[in-house]
Amino acid sequence: MTPPSAALAPRIHAAPDFDAVRAAAARIAPHAHRTPVHSGRSLDAQAGAGLLFKCENLQRTGAFKFRGACNAVMSLPETALAAGVATHSSGNHAAALSLAAALRGAPATVVMPANASRAKMAAVRAYGGRIVECEPTQAAREAALARVIEETGAEPVPPFDDARVIAGQGTAAMELIEDLPGLDAIIAPVGGGGLLAGTIIAAAALAPGLPVWGAEPAAADDTFRSVAAGERCPLAATPDTLADGLRTSVGEITWPVIRAGVAGILTAREDTIVRAMRLIWERLKLVVEPSGAVPLAAMLDHPQALAGRRVGVIVSGGNLDLDRLPWCCMREGCTGGVAP
């Protein structure tokens, strides 16, 4: 059997340049939404900054992940799609890849941890993806995916550590900077780092000197610790955080981009993530998931970091179980859209 590391090895081992981001924008334009930017004075007052929310929760499949998955799938030759595509994901990349594959008439198989959101699993199936469940560890994900690739010959499309995916994610920041010149900073959530790395690449080309910040849960702070240490410090175990989309360690390809280009990493407490999520629902009338609320939460927990600045905030997604909202049932042991 093919070792997991070999099965998951990206086809391009280096991070993309801005030309790849620009090419991705043209490639996905017929399929992806150019998402709007929303703002709210009451949120500006609470954060002490001018916040401009890039609403990737309104993207197809409900998350920015469609950009990267679409770019990867649309760039594949027909011969590579004959056996379909495969990946591992806790949810948003899974749905994104399933839809992107369906648009090209190819099958998609997704390895998902058994504790993934039921709503996200339902979305994968609705887009035509086949789910293979596994234990909720990175090692189990990779081993299960290696088996799928060995059995089917499917083309692997990693959730973040892939140049095609990173380039696609960078198109969100490209749009944001084009639509809102004169930003003082951008902040994006970071899990595996595809979105943050793509944002850094786009910002460096379109607005040299524009600071790009990352935000992650304090309970899953591997990127924060990695930046402090100057070397990649992967998570030792699956973290206990509501932000299920940010439970993954920063990637081997995304990390050098982040290390070289990030202005800093801000962390957010779990209670602040819930507060930020509710504020966005109430004040902006936008459905966001916990991961999508982490940038605002991080700014609320660290108000001095970006005080008084005009900040582009990338809201990464809006997929969660509406029957399990954290402010409704946390006292009863609910995990806010993340299956216990």
PDB file of all heavy atoms in Angstrom, residues 186-203:
ATOM      1  N   ILE A 186      -5.317  43.506   6.859  1.00  0.00           N
ATOM      2  CA  ILE A 186      -6.255  42.406   6.610  1.00  0.00           C
ATOM      3  C   ILE A 186      -6.044  41.380   7.710  1.00  0.00           C
ATOM      4  O   ILE A 186      -4.909  41.135   8.137  1.00  0.00           O
ATOM      5  CB  ILE A 186      -6.035  41.753   5.232  1.00  0.00           C
ATOM      6  CG1 ILE A 186      -6.304  42.750   4.100  1.00  0.00           C
ATOM      7  CG2 ILE A 186      -6.924  40.529   5.064  1.00  0.00           C
ATOM      8  CD1 ILE A 186      -6.036  42.175   2.716  1.00  0.00           C
ATOM      9  N   ILE A 187      -7.130  40.760   8.159  1.00  0.00           N
ATOM     10  CA  ILE A 187      -7.017  39.671   9.123  1.00  0.00           C
ATOM     11  C   ILE A 187      -7.839  38.497   8.614  1.00  0.00           C
ATOM     12  O   ILE A 187      -8.959  38.676   8.129  1.00  0.00           O
ATOM     13  CB  ILE A 187      -7.446  40.103  10.548  1.00  0.00           C
ATOM     14  CG1 ILE A 187      -7.173  38.980  11.558  1.00  0.00           C
ATOM     15  CG2 ILE A 187      -8.898  40.571  10.581  1.00  0.00           C
ATOM     16  CD1 ILE A 187      -7.285  39.428  13.013  1.00  0.00           C
ATOM     17  N   ALA A 188      -7.260  37.300   8.689  1.00  0.00           N
ATOM     18  CA  ALA A 188      -7.915  36.089   8.200  1.00  0.00           C
ATOM     19  C   ALA A 188      -7.694  34.963   9.197  1.00  0.00           C
ATOM     20  O   ALA A 188      -6.666  34.914   9.877  1.00  0.00           O
ATOM     21  CB  ALA A 188      -7.337  35.691   6.838  1.00  0.00           C
ATOM     22  N   PRO A 189      -8.637  34.048   9.302  1.00  0.00           N
ATOM     23  CA  PRO A 189      -8.441  32.905  10.194  1.00  0.00           C
ATOM     24  C   PRO A 189      -7.366  31.974   9.653  1.00  0.00           C
ATOM     25  O   PRO A 189      -7.115  31.932   8.449  1.00  0.00           O
ATOM     26  CB  PRO A 189      -9.810  32.229  10.224  1.00  0.00           C
ATOM     27  CG  PRO A 189     -10.455  32.632   8.940  1.00  0.00           C
ATOM     28  CD  PRO A 189      -9.943  34.002   8.623  1.00  0.00           C
ATOM     29  N   VAL A 190      -6.755  31.207  10.556  1.00  0.00           N
ATOM     30  CA  VAL A 190      -5.726  30.254  10.126  1.00  0.00           C
ATOM     31  C   VAL A 190      -5.907  28.921  10.839  1.00  0.00           C
ATOM     32  O   VAL A 190      -6.037  28.869  12.053  1.00  0.00           O
ATOM     33  CB  VAL A 190      -4.297  30.809  10.358  1.00  0.00           C
ATOM     34  CG1 VAL A 190      -4.069  31.226  11.796  1.00  0.00           C
ATOM     35  CG2 VAL A 190      -3.245  29.794   9.929  1.00  0.00           C
ATOM     36  N   GLY A 191      -5.979  27.877  10.037  1.00  0.00           N
ATOM     37  CA  GLY A 191      -5.970  26.503  10.519  1.00  0.00           C
ATOM     38  C   GLY A 191      -4.790  25.826   9.837  1.00  0.00           C
ATOM     39  O   GLY A 191      -3.657  25.882  10.294  1.00  0.00           O
ATOM     40  N   GLY A 192      -5.040  25.243   8.657  1.00  0.00           N
ATOM     41  CA  GLY A 192      -3.939  24.709   7.864  1.00  0.00           C
ATOM     42  C   GLY A 192      -3.128  25.791   7.173  1.00  0.00           C
ATOM     43  O   GLY A 192      -1.979  25.568   6.786  1.00  0.00           O
ATOM     44  N   GLY A 193      -3.733  26.968   6.991  1.00  0.00           N
ATOM     45  CA  GLY A 193      -2.980  28.103   6.476  1.00  0.00           C
ATOM     46  C   GLY A 193      -3.165  28.426   5.018  1.00  0.00           C
ATOM     47  O   GLY A 193      -2.538  29.370   4.515  1.00  0.00           O
ATOM     48  N   GLY A 194      -4.034  27.713   4.299  1.00  0.00           N
ATOM     49  CA  GLY A 194      -4.217  28.006   2.881  1.00  0.00           C
ATOM     50  C   GLY A 194      -4.756  29.404   2.626  1.00  0.00           C
ATOM     51  O   GLY A 194      -4.264  30.116   1.752  1.00  0.00           O
ATOM     52  N   LEU A 195      -5.755  29.803   3.403  1.00  0.00           N
ATOM     53  CA  LEU A 195      -6.333  31.133   3.226  1.00  0.00           C
ATOM     54  C   LEU A 195      -5.343  32.222   3.624  1.00  0.00           C
ATOM     55  O   LEU A 195      -5.176  33.211   2.893  1.00  0.00           O
ATOM     56  CB  LEU A 195      -7.611  31.265   4.057  1.00  0.00           C
ATOM     57  CG  LEU A 195      -8.290  32.631   4.039  1.00  0.00           C
ATOM     58  CD1 LEU A 195      -8.710  33.025   2.626  1.00  0.00           C
ATOM     59  CD2 LEU A 195      -9.500  32.638   4.981  1.00  0.00           C
ATOM     60  N   LEU A 196      -4.692  32.057   4.758  1.00  0.00           N
ATOM     61  CA  LEU A 196      -3.748  33.086   5.217  1.00  0.00           C
ATOM     62  C   LEU A 196      -2.560  33.195   4.265  1.00  0.00           C
ATOM     63  O   LEU A 196      -2.132  34.312   3.921  1.00  0.00           O
ATOM     64  CB  LEU A 196      -3.278  32.775   6.633  1.00  0.00           C
ATOM     65  CG  LEU A 196      -2.364  33.821   7.276  1.00  0.00           C
ATOM     66  CD1 LEU A 196      -3.015  35.196   7.311  1.00  0.00           C
ATOM     67  CD2 LEU A 196      -1.964  33.386   8.692  1.00  0.00           C
ATOM     68  N   ALA A 197      -2.024  32.065   3.816  1.00  0.00           N
ATOM     69  CA  ALA A 197      -0.895  32.111   2.874  1.00  0.00           C
ATOM     70  C   ALA A 197      -1.311  32.772   1.566  1.00  0.00           C
ATOM     71  O   ALA A 197      -0.595  33.620   1.020  1.00  0.00           O
ATOM     72  CB  ALA A 197      -0.369  30.702   2.619  1.00  0.00           C
ATOM     73  N   GLY A 198      -2.488  32.406   1.044  1.00  0.00           N
ATOM     74  CA  GLY A 198      -2.955  33.024  -0.184  1.00  0.00           C
ATOM     75  C   GLY A 198      -3.195  34.515  -0.029  1.00  0.00           C
ATOM     76  O   GLY A 198      -2.917  35.305  -0.936  1.00  0.00           O
ATOM     77  N   THR A 199      -3.690  34.911   1.144  1.00  0.00           N
ATOM     78  CA  THR A 199      -3.907  36.331   1.427  1.00  0.00           C
ATOM     79  C   THR A 199      -2.592  37.092   1.448  1.00  0.00           C
ATOM     80  O   THR A 199      -2.482  38.202   0.907  1.00  0.00           O
ATOM     81  CB  THR A 199      -4.639  36.491   2.774  1.00  0.00           C
ATOM     82  OG1 THR A 199      -5.907  35.822   2.699  1.00  0.00           O
ATOM     83  CG2 THR A 199      -4.856  37.951   3.124  1.00  0.00           C
ATOM     84  N   ILE A 200      -1.575  36.515   2.060  1.00  0.00           N
ATOM     85  CA  ILE A 200      -0.256  37.148   2.117  1.00  0.00           C
ATOM     86  C   ILE A 200       0.317  37.329   0.718  1.00  0.00           C
ATOM     87  O   ILE A 200       0.866  38.393   0.373  1.00  0.00           O
ATOM     88  CB  ILE A 200       0.690  36.316   3.007  1.00  0.00           C
ATOM     89  CG1 ILE A 200       0.280  36.437   4.482  1.00  0.00           C
ATOM     90  CG2 ILE A 200       2.144  36.735   2.817  1.00  0.00           C
ATOM     91  CD1 ILE A 200       0.968  35.456   5.403  1.00  0.00           C
ATOM     92  N   ILE A 201       0.195  36.309  -0.119  1.00  0.00           N
ATOM     93  CA  ILE A 201       0.726  36.379  -1.485  1.00  0.00           C
ATOM     94  C   ILE A 201       0.015  37.471  -2.286  1.00  0.00           C
ATOM     95  O   ILE A 201       0.650  38.275  -2.980  1.00  0.00           O
ATOM     96  CB  ILE A 201       0.582  35.007  -2.175  1.00  0.00           C
ATOM     97  CG1 ILE A 201       1.509  33.986  -1.504  1.00  0.00           C
ATOM     98  CG2 ILE A 201       0.885  35.109  -3.666  1.00  0.00           C
ATOM     99  CD1 ILE A 201       1.203  32.544  -1.875  1.00  0.00           C
ATOM    100  N   ALA A 202      -1.316  37.521  -2.168  1.00  0.00           N
ATOM    101  CA  ALA A 202      -2.072  38.529  -2.910  1.00  0.00           C
ATOM    102  C   ALA A 202      -1.769  39.935  -2.409  1.00  0.00           C
ATOM    103  O   ALA A 202      -1.580  40.868  -3.213  1.00  0.00           O
ATOM    104  CB  ALA A 202      -3.569  38.243  -2.793  1.00  0.00           C
ATOM    105  N   ALA A 203      -1.708  40.102  -1.101  1.00  0.00           N
ATOM    106  CA  ALA A 203      -1.455  41.428  -0.535  1.00  0.00           C
ATOM    107  C   ALA A 203      -0.069  41.937  -0.901  1.00  0.00           C
ATOM    108  O   ALA A 203       0.109  43.124  -1.200  1.00  0.00           O
ATOM    109  CB  ALA A 203      -1.626  41.394   0.982  1.00  0.00           C
TER     110      ALA A 203
END
